Amino acid sequence: MLTCLCPDSEAGLQITVKVLNCDTITQVKEKLLDAVYKGFPYSQRPRADSMDLEWRRGRGGRVVLQDEDVTTKIESDWKRLNTLSHYQVRERERESVCERERESG
């Protein structure tokens, strides 16, 4: 179970979502978006790849979780997608789904 701070919520609405520690980061984003946008048509909700999953660690510590980053494990020619257990996210920790930052360039 993760607690998610809902995007576009002025009141700081939080919901609890059931996830597995073996879920990839994209799977977690999909589950969070399913819960946040429950009752909305699929076509009217943001796509998981347009959102970031931000892990809030303690006071002021924030980490954007990704399926692939510099910590991704490579075995032979295979990349292992990052999961919640890869980042050592524990049950009942806070996450937020937010719109992906635009890269300047």
Side-chain angles (χ1 to χ4, degrees), residues 1 7 14 25 40 43 59 62 72 74 76 78 95 104-105:
M1 301 289 242
Q14 296 185 23
I25 304 309
F40 285 83
S43 61
R59 294 184 177 186
R62 296 178 180 188
T72 299
I74 299 173
S76 299
W78 296 88
E95 308 286 333
S104 59

Side-chain angles (χ1 to χ4, degrees), residues 56-97:
R56 299 186 177 201
R57 298 170 47 173
R59 294 184 177 186
R62 296 178 180 188
V63 177
V64 174
L65 307 183
Q66 301 174 342
D67 282 329
E68 294 183 40
D69 61 17
V70 295
T71 67
T72 299
K73 294 183 179 167
I74 299 173
E75 298 170 2
S76 299
D77 291 334
W78 296 88
K79 285 186 183 177
R80 183 177 292 220
L81 295 178
N82 296 339
T83 63
L84 291 179
S85 63
H86 171 82
Y87 286 106
Q88 299 176 354
V89 175
R90 291 184 166 64
E91 193 169 327
R92 302 270 183 213
E93 293 201 287
R94 279 195 327 185
E95 308 286 333
S96 69
V97 179

Side-chain angles (χ1 to χ4, degrees), residues 3-4 28 35 40 55 91:
T3 301
C4 176
V28 173
F40 285 83
W55 177 24
E91 193 169 327

Side-chain angles (χ1 to χ4, degrees), residues 33-45:
L33 290 171
D34 285 344
V36 170
Y37 293 95
K38 185 177 183 178
F40 285 83
Y42 189 81
S43 61
Q44 292 181 5
R45 73 176 220 190

